[in-house]
């Protein structure tokens, strides 16, 4: 099983030079700006990226360029609402799976659109989007991904899956951006993005199947969010399960049974304790006992994650949605916690890692 670690490089969107092209009409300039990233995405770095570890971007693109078999790219690896502050390298939770030239996105935390673009996977490859639950660090960039993806070549046939009220959310978002879509549709001569096929999931069982993958869902434990979902993707060459946000539950051990890869959220309590006490001392307006009780009731300590992976009999456990998502926590601390109960391969996820 191949693994690659990766991240981003700034690029000029199509080489447009504002000073030398000042005489262009608004429509011509807009059309050029829109078309350039699409062409770039078909081959390599895609749209312009924020500054970041360039080696991670290059490594991801290299790993995916001539990839054989199904690849999983971890786009974002931190849990909770923490913004991408200076000195942090982790974006909110999101993933993309690439199989036989088709892309499947799971969760849409802040940064998903840029991170997807950095992989070099064209937006025209996007077939389906899946959401595990409706917390902002998993869905806040769902709407923007649709709008930017559409103007970058995302097919209007893209399908979306997730818990209720996903249909209403999608309709409301597209209604709110109706005029924006109409402007870009006119400027870029695109068929407008007016509706999408959305399937809401509220129960355990099959979700969808196409030429590349069969997807199933389970219900996990993330109160008060109901339903919160875990997923399993069975591709022709490998199977990948995702916990979403949950405590360590038997349902995940069952749906991940015998999977090649389990991507599971992980909570490192000693670091969270120290981080929270420091924040409270600096004026963070939260009660320690109430906050810790919430985290323990909603999330899975890394030792328990190892137990679930061992029970499921998976080959590889990927620790992600890391809480707290601090770079100061050593990878071996995460890995050692899971290894207390899991004897297989353990990977501590990093943004733009290819697995």
């Amino acid at each position: 099983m191949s693994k690659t670690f990766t991240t981003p490089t700034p690029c000029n969107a199509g080489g447009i030079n504002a000073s030398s092209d000042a005489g262009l009409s608004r429509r011509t300039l807009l059309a050029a700006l829109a078309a350039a990233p699409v062409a770039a995405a078909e081959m390599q770095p895609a749209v312009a990226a924020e500054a970041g570890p360039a080696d991670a971007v290059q490594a991801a693109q290299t790993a995916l360029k001539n990839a054989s078999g199904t690849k999983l790219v971890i786009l974002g690896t931190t849990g909770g609402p923490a913004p991408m502050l200076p000195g942090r390298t982790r974006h909110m939770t999101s993933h993309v799976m690439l199989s036989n030239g088709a892309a499947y996105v799971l969760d849409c935390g802040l940064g998903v659109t840029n991170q997807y673009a950095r992989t070099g996977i064209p937006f025209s490859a996007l077939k389906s989007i899946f959401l595990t639950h409706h917390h902002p660090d998993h869905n806040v960039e769902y709407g923007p991904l649709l709008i930017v993806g559409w103007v970058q070549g995302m097919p209007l046939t893209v399908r979306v899956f997730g818990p209720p009220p996903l249909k209403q959310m999608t309709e409301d978002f597209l209604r709110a951006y109706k005029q924006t879509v109409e402007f870009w549709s006119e400027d870029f001569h695109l068929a407008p993005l007016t509706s999408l096929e959305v399937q809401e999931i509220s129960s355990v069982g099959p979700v969808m199947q196409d030429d590349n993958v069969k997807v199933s869902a389970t219900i996990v434990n993330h109160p008060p969010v109901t339903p919160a979902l875990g997923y399993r993707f069975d591709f022709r060459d490998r199977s990948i399960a995702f916990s979403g946000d949950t405590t360590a539950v038997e349902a995940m051990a069952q749906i991940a049974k015998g999977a090649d890869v389990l991507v599971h959220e992980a909570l490192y309590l000693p670091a969270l304790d120290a981080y929270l006490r420091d924040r409270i001392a600096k004026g963070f307006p939260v009660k320690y006992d109430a906050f810790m009780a919430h985290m323990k009731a909603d999330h899975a300590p890394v030792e328990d994650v190892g137990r679930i992976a061992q029970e499921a009999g998976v080959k590889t456990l990927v620790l992600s949605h890391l809480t707290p998502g601090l770079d100061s926590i050593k990878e071996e601390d995460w890995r050692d916690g899971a290894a207390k109960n899991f004897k297989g391969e353990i990977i501590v996820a990093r943004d733009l890692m290819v697995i």
Side-chain angles (χ1 to χ4, degrees):
M1 187 179 303
S2 63
K3 301 183 287 292
T4 312
F5 312 144
T6 40
T7 321
T9 42
C11 64
N12 183 336
I16 299 297
N17 185 312
S19 60
S20 62
D21 293 322
L24 292 175
S25 69
R26 172 180 175 272
R27 178 172 297 178
T28 302
L29 181 58
L30 285 172
L33 287 169
V38 174
E42 295 297 335
M43 290 300 297
Q44 41 194 313
V47 289
E50 300 169 81
D55 56 337
V57 168
Q58 187 59 54
Q61 292 176 2
T62 299
L64 295 172
K65 186 175 182 180
N66 298 308
S68 61
T70 300
K71 298 295 184 185
L72 164 65
V73 189
I74 312 290
L75 301 179
T77 56
T78 192
M84 189 68 174
L85 296 173
R88 291 193 180 183
T89 61
R90 299 185 183 277
H91 291 76
M92 290 182 185
T93 298
S94 56
H95 320 77
V96 60
M97 289 157 280
L98 182 66
S99 184
N100 196 30
Y104 304 83
V105 165
L106 177 79
D107 279 336
C108 297
L110 191 65
V112 63
T113 310
N114 276 350
Q115 292 290 86
Y116 181 104
R118 287 170 178 146
T119 68
I121 301 172
F123 284 89
S124 59
L126 185 53
K127 288 197 72 170
S128 300
I129 300 169
F130 300 82
L131 296 179
T132 58
H133 66 289
H134 295 305
H135 267 157
D137 55 325
H138 294 257
N139 75 1
V140 72
E141 205 167 306
Y142 164 60
L145 174 64
L146 296 180
I147 298 295
V148 175
W150 161 68
V151 82
Q152 294 289 336
M154 181 188 80
L156 298 180
T157 55
V158 69
R159 302 167 68 193
V160 185
F161 304 85
L166 186 56
K167 288 183 180 179
Q168 187 64 53
M169 289 169 59
T170 306
E171 291 170 2
D172 288 347
F173 182 84
L174 292 178
R175 186 179 301 113
Y177 278 78
K178 181 176 183 293
Q179 189 171 63
T180 292
V181 168
E182 289 175 351
F183 284 150
W184 275 9
S185 178
E186 178 185 356
D187 285 332
F188 305 150
H189 306 286
L190 297 172
L193 178 66
T194 57
S195 63
L196 290 171
E197 181 181 344
V198 178
Q199 180 178 326
E200 293 183 343
I201 306 166
S202 300
S203 58
V204 174
V207 172
M208 62 84 81
Q209 185 170 356
D210 63 17
D211 293 340
N212 299 306
V213 66
K214 178 172 66 175
V215 184
S216 53
T218 194
I219 305 297
V220 296
N221 182 49
H222 192 52
V225 180
T226 54
L229 304 174
Y231 287 96
R232 178 176 177 135
F233 293 76
D234 285 297
F235 296 94
R236 294 179 182 179
D237 58 334
R238 70 195 308 205
S239 50
I240 307 170
F242 297 87
S243 71
D245 281 13
T246 182
T247 55
V249 291
E250 179 67 21
M252 270 316 301
Q254 289 304 312
I255 197 171
K257 206 76 174 177
D260 294 294
V261 179
L262 169 60
V263 182
H264 204 295
E265 73 128 84
L267 178 64
Y268 187 52
L269 286 170
L272 181 62
D273 173 85
Y275 176 69
L276 184 58
R277 291 183 186 279
D278 179 69
R279 291 290 306 278
I280 291 172
K282 293 176 179 176
F284 186 53
V286 70
K287 301 291 187 183
Y288 175 88
D289 290 341
F291 187 90
M292 290 298 285
H294 156 75
M295 296 302 291
K296 292 176 182 179
D298 276 50
H299 298 281
V302 67
E303 295 83 1
D304 291 344
V305 174
R307 177 176 55 79
I308 293 298
Q310 186 69 23
E311 183 179 344
V314 300
K315 295 177 182 177
T316 299
L317 170 61
V318 179
L319 303 173
S320 194
H321 191 278
L322 302 175
T323 304
L326 302 174
D327 293 335
S328 57
I329 304 174
K330 297 177 181 178
E331 286 193 5
E332 51 262 38
D333 291 334
W334 290 106
R335 194 178 292 109
D336 289 349
K340 291 178 180 178
N341 295 307
F342 179 61
K343 305 311 175 187
E345 180 185 27
I346 301 170
I347 297 173
V348 181
R350 299 203 295 272
D351 284 20
L352 291 177
M353 175 182 281
V354 178
I355 299 170

